[in-house]
Amino acid sequence: METTSAHFLLRTAERWLPAPVFSLVLQLGVWVAVIIFREPRRHSRSYLTAILGRPPSWREIRRHFLTFAQMHLLRLVVTEGREHHCRSLPDCRDFTALMESGRPALLGSFHVGNSDLLGFFLGRYRRRVQMVRYRLGDPANLRQLAAQRNAGVTFIWVNEKENLLFALKQAVESGESIAMKCDRVGYSAKLEAFVFLGVPRWFPFTIYHLGIMFQRPVTFCVSVPAEPGHSEVHGFPVFEPDAGTKEENLDRARAHFQLVLRGVEALLRTNPYLWFNFTPLNPEASPGNSTARPWPPAERSGADSNPGGTKFNEDARKARTSHGVG
């Protein structure tokens, strides 16, 4: 639903139409989008059914689309220089301390609320960040947004696979931080399953493998709308790789990510319409898989330290394929 023509039409209408007229046009445009965009509508219904515990009404689907349109418009006007303030909440203490330390880190987020403005928010810490993103059409809007307040954000395009690993390694070796969204499974090489919306679902886990490989801390934050002109930033505890074995570090990382997902789900329970994935909801993991286990896992015997390994790999491949990656 994000195209160059949509950017132009939305921004032109907002700039030239009186506010009451623009509000009416936006409402009508959202109804049209709900009707004509069948796949996003289907995925919205699937997600809302999972979080509401019942099939959503057409008005609830429309509200989901409208909330996304309002976020998208905010991103466009901030790109053009409109003042916007990101306010750190008390749960951001660990995140803030890490950012102010100057240590290179791996920064995770989700397609939730105003989290696309976090590159803008990072500008206050005066650090270089490579943001891993999917290139969709003209990326000029993202680059303009990152340039606001000298945010120091540049991009690594995840769908340019031939350059991805080299770019990540180069960013780490040069002391830059890396930011990535951790909710869409399509382009992740490392998938594991965690409880989300009541059942184990596949999520990208690459950020922790990179953190352990390069001995970098991992943390997450998300941004949600507040009063006009403001967003609130929620942070999470920092995961620090230690001198333990790789499997010990991965077990701690799994517990950490499950904690993060519980926090994200709590935010969505407060406002279900802030989940901006109009793509297939993270697929459910088959029961009994090893690394697909919901965290914490059931007790494992020594003879079954990696149950279902082959099936896990096959299910992970199917999950990626169903989301557009062979």
Side-chain angles (χ1 to χ4, degrees):
M1 293 191 294
E2 296 182 62
T3 64
T4 302
S5 58
H7 292 177
F8 175 77
L9 290 172
L10 189 61
R11 190 66 190 97
T12 300
E14 194 274 340
R15 181 184 292 119
W16 294 106
L17 294 178
V21 176
F22 173 73
S23 178
L24 178 60
V25 169
L26 182 63
Q27 297 278 347
L28 292 174
V30 166
W31 271 120
V32 171
V34 170
I35 293 168
I36 67 174
F37 290 124
R38 295 182 179 181
E39 285 297 299
R41 182 180 73 230
R42 181 165 62 87
H43 300 318
S44 172
R45 179 180 288 113
S46 174
Y47 158 71
L48 289 172
T49 299
I51 195 165
L52 297 175
R54 57 171 174 78
S57 67
W58 277 86
R59 287 186 178 276
E60 287 168 325
I61 294 173
R62 181 205 65 88
R63 183 175 174 185
H64 193 197
F65 274 61
L66 177 62
T67 306
F68 173 75
Q70 291 167 335
M71 181 282 298
H72 189 55
L73 177 62
L74 174 63
R75 191 174 72 183
L76 292 176
V77 299
V78 170
T79 296
E80 295 186 359
R82 182 175 297 182
E83 193 73 14
H84 191 81
H85 302 280
C86 294
R87 180 171 61 243
S88 300
L89 296 178
D91 59 17
C92 260
R93 283 191 296 267
D94 290 351
F95 177 86
T96 300
L98 178 60
M99 292 296 97
E100 291 177 345
S101 73
R103 296 173 60 199
L106 289 153
L107 314 174
S109 190
F110 303 87
H111 293 87
V112 170
N114 293 341
S115 295
D116 270 359
L117 297 178
L118 288 173
F120 173 77
F121 170 68
L122 292 172
R124 70 177 63 176
Y125 299 110
R126 297 292 185 259
R127 58 192 300 154
R128 300 291 303 174
V129 177
Q130 292 271 5
M131 189 171 288
V132 180
R133 291 296 300 261
Y134 180 84
R135 184 195 288 269
L136 182 64
D138 183 3
N141 179 258
L142 284 174
R143 291 198 179 102
Q144 279 183 270
L145 183 60
Q148 293 292 324
R149 302 275 181 92
N150 299 313
V153 174
T154 52
F155 294 95
I156 298 172
W157 304 113
V158 69
N159 39 329
E160 295 178 0
K161 294 183 180 180
E162 65 280 5
N163 299 321
L164 180 59
L165 290 177
F166 174 77
L168 289 173
K169 184 174 184 291
Q170 188 177 51
V172 169
E173 290 176 347
S174 63
E176 296 180 327
S177 294
I178 298 172
M180 61 180 69
K181 298 285 181 71
C182 297
D183 44 7
R184 296 179 182 173
V185 303
Y187 282 87
S188 178
K190 302 288 185 180
L191 298 179
E192 298 205 15
F194 300 86
V195 175
F196 184 69
L197 303 182
V199 297
R201 298 181 185 277
W202 295 101
F203 276 87
F205 199 61
T206 304
I207 192 170
Y208 289 99
H209 284 272
L210 293 172
I212 293 167
M213 181 187 306
F214 295 110
Q215 290 294 292
R216 296 285 191 265
V218 177
T219 191
F220 287 78
C221 65
V222 294
S223 175
V224 298
E227 66 271 20
H230 292 77
S231 296
E232 293 180 337
V233 181
H234 292 266
F236 296 89
V238 177
F239 168 76
E240 294 273 6
D242 62 19
T245 66
K246 179 180 179 180
E247 190 55 39
E248 288 170 343
N249 273 293
L250 285 172
D251 278 349
R252 291 195 306 107
R254 291 171 186 127
H256 183 269
F257 193 51
Q258 185 64 76
L259 174 71
V260 171
L261 286 175
R262 279 199 293 267
V264 170
E265 183 171 337
L267 288 173
L268 293 173
R269 296 282 179 193
T270 302
N271 186 347
Y273 307 102
L274 294 178
W275 178 257
F276 294 146
N277 285 304
F278 292 86
T279 54
L281 184 59
N282 299 59
E284 295 185 24
S286 301
N289 285 342
S290 65
T291 324
R293 57 191 178 277
W295 193 266
E299 288 296 322
R300 295 177 293 174
S301 67
D304 194 21
S305 60
N306 187 26
T310 301
K311 192 173 190 314
F312 162 72
N313 290 334
E314 177 63 16
D315 281 354
R317 184 192 64 78
K318 289 178 180 177
R320 286 194 296 272
T321 302
S322 69
H323 284 63
V325 177

